[in-house]
Amino acid sequence: MIRLPDASGALRAYTPCTRPLELGRGGPPVSRTVFAAAHVVADPFGNTTPYGPADLDWGATLAFRRHLWAHGLAVAEAMDTAQRGAGLDWPQAAELIRRSAAEARAVGGRIACGAGTDHLAPPYGTLADVTAAYEEQLALVEAQGAQPVLLASRALAAVAAGPDAYREVYGRLLRQSARPVILHWLGPMFDPALEGYWGSADPDVAAGTLLDIVADRPDKVDGVKVSLLDAARERGLRARLPAGVRCYTGDDLNYPGLIEGDTDGHSDALLGVFDPLGPLAAHAVRRLDAGDRRGFRELLEPAVPLSRHLFEPPTRAYRAGVVLLAWLAGHQDHFTMAGGLHAARSLPHLARAYELADGLGLFPDPELAEARMARLLALHGVTP
């Protein structure tokens, strides 16, 4: 038994799970393409404060990627989940891309890596400066043999005068890309600096601009990652994509229905919540491969309360819960994050994340998870 705090400070007894969910490893799903956006593991003895560049524990960071590949997932590297622009600067992101791409080659894993403009500092310069910044990062990703994800750019959002600026920048990048890319639409709930992306604060108008960009070079667009947390809007955008262009759901709240799909199609996945749910998610999608829609839902729908908890407002703080669960699951030896972001969520929020994940049987060693959660609670003054 462990006592967990709620938001009022009251403590309640919780009896942890004793048997983890048994999920065997398997190959990559074939009916859907499934990327897990992976977190990074900070070096607890390095500079993990908000005042300097991140120090990473490279061994633990790369081991977690091997864990995802071993369960058949593709890895989306150097994305928002990896604290891109929130503790992870471009020099460290570039090194992360190099090392992870090398690991992917060694194990035969699929990898896509974020290329953006985060080495530019405000006031960011001109549209040409933003384009050149994208080109620099795109070149590095392609040189490592990874699939590029053209990340939504704070710099472009700041300097673009309207939709035509987005058409100009993305049109140039698509013309010169060596392989089809994934375009990235990250909503302002994840990053307020991206408000009005694609040149309009109206999501429907913005979607029209994005679709124009895709329609101009569909041969250079593998898919569009949509992280708006709006299932109806994602379905509408998905229905308008050219044939052969995927919609990768980034909706960490509504993903089961979007991935399962309906008579009008389905979404593939590129999700931060598949960092903690990786083995469960891969197993569920393999049920879809076998035509077992009911089995898919029975596995994945019970995870939605955990997902909604991790991504509750302020949504951008979700990484703290993701890293907590990685520590409790034994994937790293500490609960410390680059930039001090382990402090982004309250103790009651973290306790509830533990309870929900434990109830799903996500921890390979429930006793280890309970002991680590008890240590975290004790550190904050919660006694047995």
Side-chain angles (χ1 to χ4, degrees):
M1 188 271 288
I2 187 172
R3 294 201 301 164
L4 302 177
D6 62 24
S8 71
L11 299 177
R12 56 187 174 78
Y14 172 69
T15 301
C17 170
T18 57
R19 293 184 62 186
L21 194 62
E22 295 183 4
L23 297 170
R25 296 182 178 186
V30 296
S31 62
R32 308 288 188 272
T33 300
V34 184
F35 284 95
H39 75 282
V40 291
V41 183
D43 178 353
F45 304 108
N47 186 354
T48 59
T49 73
Y51 308 112
D55 288 327
L56 299 186
D57 178 337
W58 290 110
T61 294
L62 296 175
F64 187 76
R65 281 128 182 88
R66 291 193 295 272
H67 154 74
L68 294 173
W69 284 315
H71 284 277
L73 294 157
V75 169
E77 185 58 276
M79 304 284 289
D80 181 68
T81 307
Q83 297 184 237
R84 194 72 181 270
L88 188 74
D89 62 10
W90 170 239
Q92 286 287 67
E95 184 64 15
L96 178 64
I97 290 167
R98 293 186 191 98
R99 293 189 185 220
S100 292
E103 289 289 324
R105 292 192 296 272
V107 304
R110 181 170 178 177
I111 189 168
C113 298
T117 64
D118 48 325
H119 55 297
L120 294 181
Y124 299 120
T126 66
L127 204 61
D129 295 325
V130 173
T131 304
Y134 263 128
E135 290 170 337
E136 178 182 340
Q137 295 199 13
L138 176 61
L140 183 138
V141 170
E142 291 188 328
Q144 307 312 307
Q147 181 178 17
V149 181
L150 295 184
L151 298 175
S153 163
R154 294 174 182 171
L156 181 54
V159 306
D164 286 344
Y166 290 86
R167 294 187 181 98
E168 177 183 340
V169 171
Y170 281 94
R172 175 165 178 159
L173 295 172
L174 292 178
R175 285 192 297 274
Q176 63 187 275
S177 63
R179 60 183 294 184
V181 307
I182 298 172
L183 301 181
H184 179 240
W185 189 1
L186 193 67
M189 68 289 294
F190 288 97
D191 187 343
L194 299 176
E195 181 72 47
Y197 211 73
W198 308 112
S200 176
D202 182 331
D204 294 325
V205 175
T209 301
L210 171 58
L211 288 164
D212 288 344
I213 292 169
V214 175
D216 283 344
R217 291 305 302 265
D219 59 312
K220 288 296 188 74
V221 181
D222 167 56
V224 176
K225 178 193 185 298
V226 185
S227 296
L228 301 180
L229 306 185
D230 185 328
R233 182 160 276 116
E234 179 175 323
R235 289 190 186 97
L237 175 64
R238 185 176 74 194
R240 299 170 63 191
L241 288 170
V245 176
R246 301 175 186 271
C247 179
Y248 289 99
T249 187
D251 189 331
D252 300 279
L253 308 183
N254 304 296
Y255 54 90
L258 291 164
I259 295 170
E260 181 182 3
D262 50 35
T263 56
D264 295 324
H266 66 264
S267 295
D268 294 276
L270 198 166
L271 288 161
V273 78
F274 281 3
D275 178 301
L277 295 182
L280 175 64
H283 193 69
V285 178
R286 285 193 287 269
R287 292 281 183 89
L288 281 182
D289 292 348
D292 183 5
R293 288 177 174 266
R294 179 178 177 180
F296 168 82
R297 291 191 297 270
E298 288 177 347
L299 277 170
L300 214 50
E301 285 180 353
V304 170
L306 171 63
S307 306
R308 290 180 175 267
H309 179 72
L310 293 176
F311 286 80
E312 71 181 13
T315 302
R316 59 190 178 277
Y318 77 90
R319 306 175 193 91
V322 166
V323 174
L324 172 83
L325 297 183
W327 173 54
L328 296 178
H331 294 299
Q332 56 193 81
D333 294 331
H334 58 84
F335 176 43
T336 304
M337 295 176 67
L341 290 189
H342 46 279
R345 291 296 200 189
S346 70
L347 186 65
H349 176 95
L350 298 176
R352 180 61 175 159
Y354 158 73
E355 181 180 6
L356 289 168
D358 181 71
L360 290 169
L362 291 185
F363 300 127
D365 184 343
E367 291 184 359
L368 174 67
E370 179 185 357
R372 288 185 168 184
M373 192 68 216
R375 282 161 48 195
L376 181 65
L377 293 168
L379 181 64
H380 287 80
V382 178
T383 56

